[in-house]
Amino acid sequence: GQTFWCNHVFYNDMVKNRPDRRPVIFHRWGGLGSHRYQIGFSGDALINFPTLAFEPYFTSTASNVGYAFWGHDLGGHAFTDEKIVNDPELMLRWIQFGVFTPIFRSHATDDSRIERRIWKFPNFPKLRDAVKLRYALFPYIYTMARETFDTGIGMCRPLYYEYPESEEAYKYEGEYFFGNDILVAPITEPALEDGISSKEIWFPEGKWWSVATDELIEGPCRKTMCFTQEQIPYFFKQGAIIPYNPPTVMNVTERPGHLILNFVSGCKGEGVLYEDDGDNNDYSTVFATTILRQSFKNNKGEYVITPRQGIYTNGVNARSYTFRIYNTTQPVAVKVNGVETSNYSYDVKRKCTNIDIPCTDCTTEVKVRVVYSQ
């Protein structure tokens, strides 16, 4: 009762005193019924690897009771012992897991023994790379947040939502879907002495692009994979089109004039980009969507940005793009809207075709056709 009243007062105070802004409540997990509050956190987690290992399971299965948009005290909250309290590897793996959760924030109790400023850690470059990945992913995350709002289905959800007939979907509790198109299997145990982490991962039916290791994995299968400290086990579904911010974005409220679109080529697929003004109460009616499509036949791929639909008052009206098309051979010809272009390159190691698309009005179609070497 006290929690409900406290949140009721704070929310309505925001509605009254900041009518031009989007009111929000950030509430700790309080058991069944907590889904009535917009976003939340799990409470005071202990600083150790077993707690980290529990959180992917905890996060995804919370969708079963409607508690879909929440996060954790990344790095852990409460002191356990001197040996692990500021362990750089534990902090890194916790932050990397946090990238693939709805709410991304480190936090700890007021204790002089605990450090949460990532620039104070000896592996700061790796921690920073994880933060940069989070900023890059934000257009996809925001799109999936809208889907969670519309459907009630959690952004993080167990594998058995998609594959209920597969026993492995229940057994591999440390894996989950992050939105519609990303499978995540976070590293939650200390690495071996050489710094390499080995993990057995179950891949459901379909094909999955391993972003860390640049390979297409065909499911259903179990596969033991090795990852360096920098590498995160996350996988794009074949056919997916995942929008990224460019590295220049320093704040997730920015609306950049350039986007990166990640395609996993080789089959037909569709994605979407959702946009609204970001911080007002008009999102029910004032928003825009852009449907993204791809197809593949023989050695030819087609990649399409359809005209933006809807209302988007504070956004950019024109954009340039970088297409990153994974799982391809060397391109031999590229056409953008029917005109041959040389503004492309091929990354042999990543099996990735990169194409630069000039600035285009968001209400017009962009169609790219690529012929690949056999």
Side-chain angles (χ1 to χ4, degrees), residues 257-263 292 301-306 318-325 334-345 353-362 364-370 372:
H258 181 80
L259 283 181
I260 297 164
L261 298 183
N262 297 284
F263 298 81
L292 312 166
E302 184 175 275
Y303 312 95
V304 180
I305 305 171
T306 68
R319 273 201 176 107
S320 58
Y321 302 89
T322 298
F323 282 17
R324 290 183 189 153
I325 310 172
V334 177
K335 286 184 176 180
V336 178
N337 294 332
V339 179
E340 195 130 0
T341 181
S342 59
N343 291 329
Y344 67 89
S345 62
T353 297
N354 300 289
I355 306 172
D356 292 323
I357 310 297
C359 196
T360 308
D361 191 294
C362 292
T364 63
E365 181 180 80
V366 175
K367 183 177 287 186
V368 176
R369 288 194 168 109
V370 184
Y372 299 99

Side-chain angles (χ1 to χ4, degrees), residues 96 120 288 332:
Q96 289 174 342
K120 294 286 188 176
V332 294

Side-chain angles (χ1 to χ4, degrees), residues 44-55 73-81 83-87 89-91 93-94 116 188-190:
D44 300 346
L46 295 176
I47 300 169
N48 55 41
F49 273 101
T51 301
L52 169 59
F54 177 67
E55 286 189 353
D73 292 353
L74 301 178
H77 181 86
F79 180 87
T80 49
D81 68 69
K83 290 179 184 176
I84 200 76
V85 63
N86 294 318
D87 180 70
E89 183 187 8
L90 175 60
M91 186 66 176
R93 292 308 192 187
W94 220 315
R116 284 293 165 266
T188 57
E189 295 179 349

